[in-house]
Amino acid sequence: SIQMKKTFLIVLALLGTELHAQIDNTMYGLYRILNPTSVQLASIDPINGMITPIGAVNTLSTSINATGAALNPYNNRFCFFGDNGLKSIDLSTGQLTNTATINNPNGTGYFDLFRFNTSDSLMYGLSRRNITNPQTGQVTGAMYLATINEITGTITEISPSSIGQSFAYSGSAIDPHQMVFYYSNGSQLVGLDMYNGSIYSNPTLTFPNGGQNFDNFTYSCADTTMYGLVRTNYYSSVFNPITGTTTQVFDSAAVHLGKVDAMSGAVTKISTQSIGVNSFSVNGSSTIDPVNMIYYFISGSGTGLTIYGVSLTTGLVVSQGTINNAGALYFDMMRIQSDCYESRPTRLEPSANIQE
């Protein structure tokens, strides 16, 4: 009956609320120290900058590949590339549960900018390798959208052909609703269709109200918008009396919180004034708190390491925590556990011919 259907829908809604309540808003990342050189999983309080190592202090790796990390809230794992391969870490204990060697059936290469997609529970990234022409012997770079198996390290390339040759260290993002993976090649924001690996969009980045670069971008499921840092570099002219030449030397930078229209490439500043930093970490160190609508990023290194929280609505700095834990050098690959939790695709696979 109609009444029974209404009751069933209400029960489902309540069940969904209960499931969401089980996920907290903890921010995790990789805590690197110098003596001894080690990488540990830790959580951080973004307000005061206090780092808390997860579980007993143990060395997961002595190095990291700073082009990707993934937090899987469903199996409670954090993944990154370190010594000897893809590391899987238990979020509760901080213990290393698995190390997988990269295995690409199509040839030796790399796996970069990877992130976890909450709408299908797969890790997506860019498979990068070289292709040799058998006739000429010429070697060219190739890049494909791909997934990776956390346990076996097996890479599965989705793109039928190469979609590019390089990427910028600007970050990466997944829109789990439209099922699009985003990266930047410097001048363009490239969107890849996660169903078939083809280019979904590739607009040139433009800055209608100022700026030169769009960095550390990440997608917010809370309002389906992609945010990042708009950077403007300023240079001074320095005259060399010996050579009689004038060169441009970096002087300072203005940094604003901004957002991008993924289809047009138009980048808009949200901050009316510069955040007040000249530099920031670009190795995956940005994340969004979907509950409080705050964008977080890291600036500085060593004793000058600071985590900034910026309001997504006003662009104003709402928190500034100095990370002063003894021995802290960096805090990388920040991920918040509740970000995009239990998202679902709204754009279905094109080949299925099913309406959204």
Side-chain angles (χ1 to χ4, degrees), residues 195-270:
Y195 290 119
N196 54 40
S198 63
I199 294 179
Y200 182 80
S201 60
N202 60 347
T204 299
L205 291 169
T206 59
F207 301 84
N209 62 344
Q212 296 168 349
N213 301 87
F214 187 64
D215 298 317
N216 278 20
F217 56 84
T218 188
Y219 181 82
S220 168
C221 275
D223 59 0
T224 64
T225 303
M226 199 181 311
Y227 294 92
L229 297 177
V230 182
R231 177 166 50 93
T232 306
N233 294 330
Y234 297 100
Y235 298 87
S236 298
S237 297
V238 177
F239 177 74
N240 188 326
I242 299 176
T243 62
T245 58
T246 300
T247 57
Q248 298 294 311
V249 179
F250 175 76
D251 182 43
S252 62
V255 177
H256 299 74
L257 178 69
K259 60 183 178 180
V260 65
D261 183 317
M263 296 307 293
S264 70
V267 177
T268 305
K269 290 180 184 176
I270 299 173

